């Protein structure tokens, strides 16, 4: 079965440091890729998505992600972490041959230290 | 626009009780889905629908039932609640099944005692 893996269930960075959250997917068939953020006790909000245009995708709040087909990866980065970035981040993948199902990774909780 | 609306926000059930979680969207989206969120497991797909009258099973469908009689509504029924169904449930919708964004409701927090 096709799957999504997020490396690291918890990531901690200092304020102002680089944020790197990793996401790998299992299939060589190019998918649609998404990153969502969930703040405590809230629903999910879209950060950014990749749909086969530019491989570097810019999202909200200075987040960006790069699609690397050879590595089947879609890692999320932000140059400088802010305290308000503390949240849980989910990578999600959709394949055309899967009936439109959106498959989520396990999530990565980001903590930002002052 | 209200977007995706879920009711109730919180619910406590006793084992064996049944209930329906409501989900409605006002964006004329064809695709709707239900997920459950459990710690360390991300969101797992329960059931989904690609249009009115069409539903299919996701990753964890056992113990849940859905129907899609209208484009707007996609209720999730728990037939006989079990403690293992204690979770946060999210409904989502999108215009189509390709690269369109899925919009999520605020969630329903369910406890089964």
């Amino acid at each position: 079965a096709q799957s999504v893996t997020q490396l690291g269930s918890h990531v901690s960075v200092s304020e102002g440091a680089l944020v790197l959250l990793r996401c790998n997917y299992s299939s060589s068939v190019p998918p649609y890729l998404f990153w969502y953020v969930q703040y405590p006790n809230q629903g999910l909000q879209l950060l950014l998505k990749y749909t086969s245009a530019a491989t570097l995708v810019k999202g909200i709040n200075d987040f960006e992600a790069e699609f690397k087909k050879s590595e089947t990866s879609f890692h999320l980065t932000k140059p400088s972490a802010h305290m308000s970035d503390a949240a849980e981040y989910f990578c999600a993948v959709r394949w055309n041959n899967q009936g439109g199902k959106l498959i989520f990774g396990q999530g990565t909780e980001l903590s930002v230290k002052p | 626009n209200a977007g995706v609306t879920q009711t109730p926000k919180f619910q406590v059930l006793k084992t064996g009780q049944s209930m329906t979680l409501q989900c409605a969207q006002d964006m004329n989206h064809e695709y709707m889905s239900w997920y459950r969120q459990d710690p360390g497991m991300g969101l797992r797909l329960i059931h989904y629908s690609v249009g009115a009258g069409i539903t299919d099973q996701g990753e964890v469908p056992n113990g849940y039932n859905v129907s899609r009689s209208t484009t707007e509504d996609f209720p999730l029924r728990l037939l006989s609640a079990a403690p293992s169904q204690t979770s946060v449930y999210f409904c989502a919708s999108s215009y189509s099944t390709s690269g369109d964004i899925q919009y999520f409701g605020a969630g329903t927090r369910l406890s089964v005692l």
Side-chain angles (χ1 to χ4, degrees):
Chain A
Q2 291 160 320
S3 63
V4 182
T5 302
Q6 290 183 239
L7 188 62
S9 57
H10 291 91
V11 170
S12 182
V13 300
S14 297
E15 193 172 21
L18 171 72
V19 175
L20 171 60
L21 305 181
R22 300 178 188 273
C23 173
N24 288 86
Y25 58 93
S26 62
S27 173
S28 60
V29 175
Y32 301 106
L33 297 150
F34 306 83
W35 275 98
Y36 283 86
V37 60
Q38 184 182 32
Y39 298 102
N41 298 314
Q42 294 188 25
L44 278 75
Q45 303 174 31
L46 183 74
L47 273 178
L48 49 81
K49 69 172 186 175
Y50 167 78
T51 56
S52 78
T55 56
L56 184 63
V57 181
K58 294 189 182 299
I60 61 172
N61 300 336
D62 295 326
F63 281 94
E64 60 183 36
E66 186 172 9
F67 171 62
K68 291 188 176 180
K69 183 179 178 180
S70 61
E71 299 177 6
T72 60
S73 69
F74 191 56
H75 302 330
L76 181 71
T77 61
K78 180 172 179 175
S80 177
H82 193 272
M83 296 296 291
S84 61
D85 294 326
E88 188 151 24
Y89 292 80
F90 292 95
C91 180
V93 183
R94 212 172 196 177
W95 284 276
N96 273 336
N97 63 351
Q98 292 292 305
K101 290 182 284 189
L102 190 64
I103 307 300
F104 281 85
Q106 302 92 323
T108 297
E109 185 174 353
L110 176 67
S111 300
V112 182
K113 299 174 290 186
Chain B
N1 273 348
V4 179
T5 303
Q6 290 184 238
T7 56
K9 291 191 182 333
F10 303 94
Q11 184 70 48
V12 179
L13 291 178
K14 294 181 180 178
T15 297
Q17 287 184 315
S18 62
M19 79 159 294
T20 299
L21 307 186
Q22 301 291 344
C23 176
Q25 52 89 12
D26 61 359
M27 297 175 281
N28 201 31
H29 285 169
E30 290 296 324
Y31 184 90
M32 296 185 74
S33 54
W34 276 101
Y35 295 87
R36 60 177 288 172
Q37 182 179 22
D38 302 291
M41 305 191 75
L43 278 79
R44 292 180 292 169
L45 184 65
I46 304 172
H47 285 286
Y48 65 101
S49 168
V50 297
I54 306 169
T55 63
D56 207 346
Q57 296 182 350
E59 184 183 356
V60 288
N62 291 341
Y64 306 95
N65 203 356
V66 292
S67 60
R68 184 95 179 270
S69 56
T70 67
T71 299
E72 295 78 20
D73 300 298
F74 191 44
L76 178 72
R77 297 182 188 85
L78 279 68
L79 309 172
S80 177
S84 60
Q85 294 178 304
T86 293
S87 187
V88 182
Y89 291 85
F90 288 99
C91 179
S93 73
S94 64
Y95 183 71
S96 73
T97 61
S98 58
D100 294 314
I101 299 166
Q102 280 210 29
Y103 294 88
F104 284 80
T108 295
R109 191 173 297 271
L110 176 68
S111 292
V112 182
L113 306 177

